[in-house]
Amino acid sequence: MLWPIDLIVLTFVIFCAIAAITVRDLLGTAILFSAYSFLMCLLWAVMGAVDVAFTEASVGAGVSTVFLVAAVFRTSRRTKD
């Protein structure tokens, strides 16, 4: 098993999740959600679930990011509060 790699990726996943919640910039949040999804893809691949990793990469890091960034550019980028 590759426990050190798992722990490093899991630490980055937790960091991205917390950062995505606390960031006030909507574009930054969309990018952090994309990074979170990509790191989850890596975690799935390391665990041996390649089909789930491929789905996470294509849908989570790919299509969702495009939709979130497009929605951010159609609204205001910063929150009012």
Side-chain angles (χ1 to χ4, degrees), residues 9 24 31-32 57 70-71 76 80:
V9 173
R24 296 254 185 222
I31 291 170
L32 282 168
S76 62
K80 302 290 187 231

Side-chain angles (χ1 to χ4, degrees), residues 24-51:
R24 296 254 185 222
D25 186 25
L26 294 178
L27 185 61
T29 302
I31 291 170
L32 282 168
F33 274 132
S34 173
Y36 172 84
S37 184
F38 177 72
L39 289 171
M40 284 301 297
C41 167
L42 288 177
L43 200 58
W44 288 120
V46 168
M47 289 191 303
V50 181
D51 55 339

Side-chain angles (χ1 to χ4, degrees), residues 3-79:
W3 288 105
I5 294 174
D6 288 344
L7 290 176
I8 291 170
V9 173
L10 184 61
T11 303
F12 284 136
V13 166
I14 292 171
F15 172 74
C16 281
I18 292 171
I21 292 172
T22 58
V23 169
R24 296 254 185 222
D25 186 25
L26 294 178
L27 185 61
T29 302
I31 291 170
L32 282 168
F33 274 132
S34 173
Y36 172 84
S37 184
F38 177 72
L39 289 171
M40 284 301 297
C41 167
L42 288 177
L43 200 58
W44 288 120
V46 168
M47 289 191 303
V50 181
D51 55 339
V52 178
F54 182 72
T55 304
E56 181 71 29
S58 62
V59 174
V63 176
S64 296
T65 303
V66 171
F67 286 151
L68 285 173
V69 169
V72 166
F73 282 129
R74 291 187 176 269
T75 61
S76 62
R77 186 171 169 181
R78 306 284 275 167
T79 59

